[in-house]
Amino acid sequence: MVVYFTMLKGRSLLSLFDYSAEEIRFLLDSARQLKAEKQPQQRFVGKTLALLFEKRSTRTRCAFETAFGEEGGHPVFLSTADIQLGSKESIEDTARVLGRMFSAIQFRGFKQATVETLARYAGVPVYNGLTDDFHPTQALADLMTLEENIQQPRLLVFIGDGRNNVARSLTVICAKMGVNICIITPESLNPDPDFLARCQQIATKSRSTVSVTADLEAVHGADAIYTDVWASMGEESKKIERSSLLRPYQVNQALMDKTGRTDTIFLHCLPAIKGEEVTAEVIDGPQSRAWDEAENRKHTIKAVLAATLGV
Ligand code: CP
Ligand code: NVA
C-alpha cells in the first residue's frame, strides 16, 4: 500500500490513459477499504481543494466536497460566474495562482485542453471532474460497482451515445482492467477510430476486447448494461435529433431480458432522464445499481485524493 501511495503522490488525474492497471487496481482497492471504514480519519487536515465548475454537477461536486471536508480538508467551490478563468485571465495564470493557494484543483468543464493546461501550470494535482472528452472519476466508481456485484466481470455493454465522455472513460478503464466492453450505438455515433484503435491495443495486453456495433442482440450474456443521457451537457441543441436517433436504444425491461440472464446489473452515471435512455421500471427496479454507483463516486474520489495528496 505504502509503495503505491508514494507512486501516486503529486499525480494529476486527467484521463485514465495516464494510469496503469496496477495503479487503477490500487485506487479501486483503496476505495473499497475507505467505504468499509466506520469513521473518517481526518486525512486532509490543513489541506485545501479548489473546485472549478464550468458545467453543472450534483454528484461530482458533492463527492469531492464531502470526501474532502469530512476528512478535515477545506474545499472551495468556484463556478465560472465567480472567477476569471479563461475570460479576463488566461488558464495558465489562473493555474499558477491557484497552485500557490491550494493543495489540489478539480476542474469540470468543456475542453480537455483546459484541464491539461491547469495541470501543466498549477504545480499541484489536478483532477478531471468531467470534460467533453473524459469522465475518469466516474469510470472508477463504475468499475467499483461492477466488481461489488460480479466476481469476475467479463462483459460490460454501453448502449447509447457511443462517443460521449462516459462511454470513452468506460472504454479506457475496461481495456486496462481486462473487462470486455461492447459499445452499442448507431453508426453515426461510433467512437473516433483513433481512440478506438488505442483502446483496442491496450485491451490486447489485458486479453480483453473492445467492440462496437449497432446490433441490440450484442447485450447477450452481459454482466452489466450501462447507459447515459442521449445529449450531454453542451449538446442541448441536439436533444430532439438524438431522441429520435437513439429511441431504439432505450434500456427497458425487454432489452434487459435480452441478456438471457437475471443477474445482469443496470448502471447509469446519472442524472437520468427516465422515459428516454432508460425506463423508470429498469432504473428503479431490482437490477439497478445506479444508486450504489452514485455513492461510490465519493469513495473512489476519496481514494484518488488520498493517493495523490500522499496521506
Ligand atoms: N455522474 C455525474 O458526474 O453526475 P453530476 O453531473 O451530477 O456530477
Ligand atoms: N455524458 C453526460 C455525463 C453527465 C455526468 C454529460 O456530459 O452531460
Side-chain angles (χ1 to χ4, degrees):
M1 188 178 219
V2 173
V3 174
Y4 285 114
F5 269 140
T6 312
M7 248 169 69
L8 291 173
K9 187 174 178 183
R11 291 265 296 274
S12 290
L13 174 55
L14 307 179
S15 100
L16 289 164
F17 275 133
D18 310 330
Y19 277 58
S20 68
E22 292 72 26
E23 289 165 346
I24 294 170
R25 170 53 49 213
F26 172 73
L27 291 173
L28 293 171
D29 290 348
S30 300
R32 211 179 44 242
Q33 287 167 20
L34 290 164
K35 186 173 183 174
E37 280 180 1
K38 303 265 179 294
Q39 291 290 331
Q41 308 288 320
Q42 296 295 295
R43 288 177 172 84
F44 305 130
V45 171
K47 299 205 183 290
T48 49
L49 174 66
L51 297 168
L52 305 188
F53 283 85
E54 285 179 346
K55 292 177 177 172
R56 285 173 184 272
S57 170
T58 300
R59 279 143 290 270
T60 308
R61 174 181 175 178
C62 295
F64 271 102
E65 287 209 21
T66 57
F68 198 65
E70 76 183 14
E71 297 277 352
H74 181 58
V76 178
F77 175 79
L78 300 162
S79 83
T80 38
D82 307 311
I83 60 163
Q84 312 277 17
L85 187 75
S87 51
K88 206 168 153 197
E89 189 165 37
S90 69
I91 315 283
E92 289 87 329
D93 290 356
T94 304
R96 287 183 175 113
V97 172
L98 295 180
R100 298 288 180 107
M101 297 185 191
F102 289 92
S103 316
I105 300 167
Q106 182 277 172
F107 171 80
R108 164 173 287 203
F110 294 90
K111 293 188 189 137
Q112 180 69 14
T114 307
V115 76
E116 289 177 2
T117 305
L118 284 170
R120 201 166 315 121
Y121 290 92
V124 296
V126 173
Y127 314 116
N128 178 353
L130 179 148
T131 60
D132 291 346
D133 291 357
F134 294 110
H135 197 2
T137 63
Q138 178 69 52
L140 288 169
D142 300 339
L143 207 66
M144 178 178 181
T145 314
L146 183 63
E147 291 181 348
E148 281 177 341
N149 287 278
I150 312 278
Q151 274 210 336
Q152 282 193 313
R154 288 305 300 152
L155 177 62
L156 183 142
V157 170
F158 178 91
I159 180 159
D161 173 6
R163 333 130 317 140
N164 83 9
N165 41 17
V166 168
R168 285 165 58 93
S169 282
L170 274 174
T171 307
V172 179
I173 204 166
C174 285
K176 293 237 171 189
M177 303 311 286
V179 178
N180 300 321
I181 181 162
C182 176
I183 309 279
I184 305 183
T185 192
E187 217 180 307
S188 58
L189 294 175
N190 272 358
D192 168 63
D194 291 341
F195 167 79
L196 208 54
R198 188 172 173 194
C199 291
Q200 276 161 340
Q201 206 171 21
I202 294 168
T204 314
K205 278 196 224 140
S206 71
R207 299 197 181 157
S208 59
T209 57
V210 176
S211 54
V212 180
T213 179
D215 183 4
L216 297 179
E217 298 303 323
V219 299
H220 189 77
D223 293 308
I225 307 275
Y226 195 124
T227 192
D228 183 12
V229 287
W230 288 339
S232 288
M233 288 181 276
E235 296 186 325
E236 287 72 16
S237 64
K238 295 192 175 134
K239 264 191 172 161
I240 294 170
E241 167 199 326
R242 288 282 173 77
S243 193
S244 64
L245 177 67
L246 287 167
R247 182 69 46 192
Y249 298 83
Q250 183 190 64
V251 180
N252 47 39
Q253 198 55 48
L255 186 90
M256 292 298 292
D257 293 343
K258 268 185 194 290
T259 63
R261 293 172 55 169
T262 49
D263 61 344
T264 301
I265 60 167
F266 170 75
L267 296 173
H268 193 307
C269 56
L270 305 173
I273 306 180
K274 297 179 189 180
E276 288 260 306
E277 75 274 7
V278 61
T279 58
E281 184 187 21
V282 170
I283 195 166
D284 296 328
Q287 287 170 277
S288 175
R289 296 294 178 274
W291 318 110
D292 294 336
E293 186 183 2
E295 179 192 329
N296 287 340
R297 298 295 310 286
K298 177 170 171 174
H299 308 301
T300 43
I301 281 172
K302 193 185 275 191
V304 171
L305 289 165
T308 56
L309 291 172
V311 298

